[in-house]
Amino acid sequence: QVQLVESGGGLVQAGGSLRLSCAASESISSVNSMGWHRQTPGKQRELVADITSGGITDYADSVKGRFTISRDNAKNTWYLQMNSLKPEDTGVYYCNVEGGSDWLDEYEYWGQGTQVTVSS
């Protein structure tokens, strides 16, 4: 089974930056999208950003202009650059990848999460 290993979380002051990385343990076939979600207590997990296999990106309204998702296909890795961080960005960030094809059942893999804490 594919495993996703996250790194880059931590504690940062408001206005600071962090870069999250998500590395897949192996090449993944028939990818539709790679992305990042976040979870805070009492809330459902929400989409932060994703990028399709064709390079199209999408962002939550709350992070547009501040966060950038990118990928390095050769390294089976994708990133979330987070700038101008706000306390409201605090949460556990999970990377994910999903895909499938006529020849491969739909799948979805998730990282175990990395804590991002933004202090004022």
Side-chain angles (χ1 to χ4, degrees):
Q1 171 141 319
V2 173
Q3 291 186 311
L4 307 182
V5 179
E6 302 182 31
S7 62
L11 174 65
V12 65
Q13 289 192 340
S17 298
L18 287 172
R19 189 192 193 203
L20 306 183
S21 299
C22 184
S25 61
E26 60 192 81
S27 297
I28 307 171
S29 298
S30 302
V31 170
N32 289 334
S33 65
M34 304 169 178
W36 294 90
H37 293 67
R38 66 187 176 192
Q39 178 78 55
T40 58
K43 287 186 175 182
Q44 292 187 329
R45 190 174 298 182
E46 64 176 344
L47 173 70
V48 176
D50 64 12
I51 182 167
T52 71
S53 61
I56 300 171
T57 58
D58 190 31
Y59 298 92
D61 288 343
S62 61
V63 308
K64 286 180 179 177
R66 300 188 296 119
F67 291 11
T68 303
I69 188 169
S70 61
R71 65 185 179 186
D72 186 336
N73 290 334
K75 296 181 179 179
N76 303 314
T77 301
W78 55 107
Y79 309 92
L80 185 68
Q81 178 67 47
M82 304 185 293
N83 297 326
S84 302
L85 282 162
K86 304 175 180 179
E88 307 94 272
D89 296 318
T90 294
V92 180
Y93 284 68
Y94 298 88
C95 62
N96 82 298
V97 58
E98 60 184 17
S101 71
D102 290 341
W103 313 111
L104 184 68
D105 287 343
E106 294 289 331
Y107 63 82
E108 188 171 45
Y109 301 111
W110 291 87
Q112 73 272 76
T114 185
Q115 178 70 42
V116 171
T117 303
V118 184
S119 66
S120 60

